[in-house]
């Protein structure tokens, strides 16, 4: 039986050397452009101060084209939070995983992993300030949009809380209120970003330096300075002395 022969014309076209992919040639999709502009406008004005016409005008499309991608302003608003959440998770998930691996050991590895996570979060917000202002606008009305917190904030922060509880159960740190600890760092970091937005160039450099000094001092005050021998930190206590409260989901 003859074998089938594949001719060159039957093969998929190959990209030439240095030839960009189609999405690279054409740029971001219309949906991505809508999300980018909507995120910026929602962050600057909130949902009440932003219309779909405003967003469509920024993208350079009409409202009917926008509706093709998002049926309502609420759907678009939710998608903006999903987008920033995905970026935040991509940046922080490896650091949270490393903290989890260090939780049972305590000491210098845990202190280093915790500091790396805190500084990674601060760095992410500095590079993506619209994330801060999107959330601050949402939190101006605590009762409205609580589902956004449950979908796009509490899951990631809850993972950190659970790691802190694991360390407490292992007796490597003292931690009785992980929810308050995580919330305090989150709010402080968002406040830091707002301070950067209002500062002069020289003031921004000072703010970045001083805030990182504060973060390190805050963590050391809670968990103790890591000892040189890698043993449990100064804040460590016996596991049976720790009051365990489950994370707030």
């Amino acid at each position: 039986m003859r074998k089938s022969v594949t001719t060159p014309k039957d093969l998929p076209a190959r990209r030439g050397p240095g030839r960009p992919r189609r999405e690279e040639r054409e740029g971001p999709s219309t949906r991505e452009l809508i999300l980018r502009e909507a995120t910026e406008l929602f962050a600057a004005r909130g949902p009440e101060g932003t219309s779909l016409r405003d967003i469509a005008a920024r993208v350079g499309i009409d409202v009917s084209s926008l509706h093709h991608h998002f049926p309502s302003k609420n759907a678009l608003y939710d998608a903006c939070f999903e987008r920033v959440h995905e970026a935040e998770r991509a940046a922080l998930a490896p650091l949270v995983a490393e903290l989890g691996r260090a939780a049972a050991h305590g000491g210098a590895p845990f202190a280093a992993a915790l500091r790396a996570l805190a500084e990674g979060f601060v760095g992410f917000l500095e590079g993506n300030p619209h994330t801060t202002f999107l959330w601050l606008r949402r939190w101006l009305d605590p009762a409205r949009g609580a589902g956004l917190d449950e979908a796009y904030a509490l899951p990631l922060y809850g993972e950190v809380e659970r790691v802190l509880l694991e360390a407490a159960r292992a007796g490597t740190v003292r931690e009785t209120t992980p929810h308050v600890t995580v919330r305090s760092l989150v709010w402080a970091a968002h406040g830091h970003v707002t301070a950067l937005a209002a500062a002069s160039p020289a003031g921004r450099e000072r703010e970045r330096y001083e805030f990182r000094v504060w973060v390190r001092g805050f963590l050391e005050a809670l968990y103790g300075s890591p000892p040189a021998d890698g043993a449990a930190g100064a804040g460590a206590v016996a596991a049976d002395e720790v009051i365990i409260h489950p994370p707030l989901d």
Side-chain angles (χ1 to χ4, degrees):
M1 187 172 68
R2 292 176 56 190
K3 294 182 180 180
S4 60
V5 178
T6 302
T7 63
K9 68 178 182 179
D10 298 319
L11 297 174
R14 298 179 61 186
R15 293 189 300 129
R19 182 183 175 190
R21 297 180 183 277
R22 178 178 178 181
E23 58 269 25
E24 295 171 347
R25 298 197 306 271
E26 298 181 355
S29 66
T30 300
R31 186 179 191 279
E32 175 61 19
L33 290 174
I34 293 171
L35 284 170
R36 287 184 189 180
E37 297 299 337
T39 298
E40 295 291 342
L41 286 175
F42 285 140
R45 306 176 186 175
E48 294 81 6
T50 304
S51 70
L52 293 181
R53 290 187 181 278
D54 294 333
I55 298 167
R58 288 275 291 264
V59 178
I61 60 176
D62 55 37
V63 175
S64 61
S65 296
L66 190 151
H67 278 297
H68 174 73
H69 297 277
F70 301 97
S72 67
K73 184 163 74 171
N74 284 340
L76 177 54
Y77 190 56
D78 186 284
C80 289
F81 279 90
E82 181 180 18
R83 178 174 176 268
V84 298
H85 169 71
E86 289 175 351
E88 182 179 2
R89 175 169 285 282
L92 300 184
L95 299 174
V96 175
E98 182 59 33
L99 183 66
R101 288 188 287 270
H105 305 289
F110 181 79
L114 187 59
R115 187 169 62 247
L117 174 59
E119 293 181 352
F121 177 61
V122 173
F124 171 80
L125 290 182
E126 288 177 345
N128 301 272
H130 56 270
T131 300
T132 284
F133 296 106
L134 190 67
W135 277 110
L136 291 183
R137 294 283 182 181
R138 175 264 170 278
W139 287 327
L140 286 174
D141 187 352
R144 179 180 178 181
L148 295 171
D149 294 40
E150 295 170 1
Y152 305 124
L154 297 182
L156 183 58
Y157 303 156
E159 289 177 25
V160 181
E161 292 173 31
R162 281 184 280 275
V163 170
L164 294 177
L165 285 178
E166 290 174 8
R169 290 190 178 101
T172 58
V173 300
R174 181 195 298 271
E175 179 54 88
T176 61
T177 56
H179 181 69
V180 177
T181 298
V182 174
R183 184 180 62 192
S184 297
L185 280 167
V186 168
W187 275 94
H190 285 307
H192 163 65
V193 172
T194 62
L196 287 177
S200 65
R204 285 194 290 271
E205 290 305 309
R206 176 178 177 179
E207 171 67 25
R208 288 190 180 95
Y209 170 77
E210 291 185 347
F211 188 73
R212 281 166 171 75
V213 170
W214 176 84
V215 168
R216 293 193 177 198
F218 178 81
L219 295 176
E220 289 181 4
L222 280 178
Y223 305 117
S225 301
D229 60 3
V237 294
D240 58 1
E241 296 178 19
V242 177
I243 302 174
I244 301 296
H245 298 281
L248 298 180
D249 295 322

